[in-house]
């Protein structure tokens, strides 16, 4: 395990960014129409962000499995 001072910050960012993106798309889908901004392209935003989040988590999982099986 890394003991550098930046690793807790990096760990937090890796955990927070996918959740922040998922809340961002929900906020856009719910708040923009209430503000009177009806954008036709918002329907594809949620599936794209969900797919990106799943790919990100899968990549993180595979990377952590690789690091466990191939220690330096």
């Amino acid at each position: 395990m890394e003991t550098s001072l930046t690793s807790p910050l990096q760990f937090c960012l890796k955990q927070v960014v996918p959740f922040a993106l998922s809340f961002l798309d929900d906020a856009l889908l719910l708040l923009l129409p209430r503000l009177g901004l009806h954008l036709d392209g918002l329907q594809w935003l949620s599936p794209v962000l969900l797919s990106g989040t799943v790919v990100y988590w899968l990549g993180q999982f595979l990377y952590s499995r690789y690091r466990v099986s191939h220690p330096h």
Side-chain angles (χ1 to χ4, degrees):
M1 181 173 183
E2 295 178 21
T3 58
S4 70
L5 294 176
T6 58
S7 50
L9 177 61
Q10 289 173 349
F11 176 77
C12 288
L13 287 176
K14 286 181 182 180
Q15 302 302 317
V16 169
V17 168
F19 287 112
L21 288 176
S22 72
F23 287 123
L24 176 66
D25 79 321
D26 291 340
L28 289 174
L29 288 171
L30 295 174
L31 294 177
L32 288 180
R34 286 185 170 219
L35 295 174
L37 299 171
H38 299 283
L39 302 175
D40 294 331
L42 286 179
Q43 293 84 7
W44 60 265
L45 184 62
S46 184
V48 167
L49 287 175
L50 178 63
S51 300
T53 302
V54 169
V55 169
Y56 174 79
W57 281 340
L58 182 61
Q60 290 295 317
F61 174 74
L62 293 175
Y63 178 71
S64 68
R65 297 280 298 184
Y66 174 78
R67 287 190 63 180
V68 168
S69 65
H70 295 90
H72 291 119

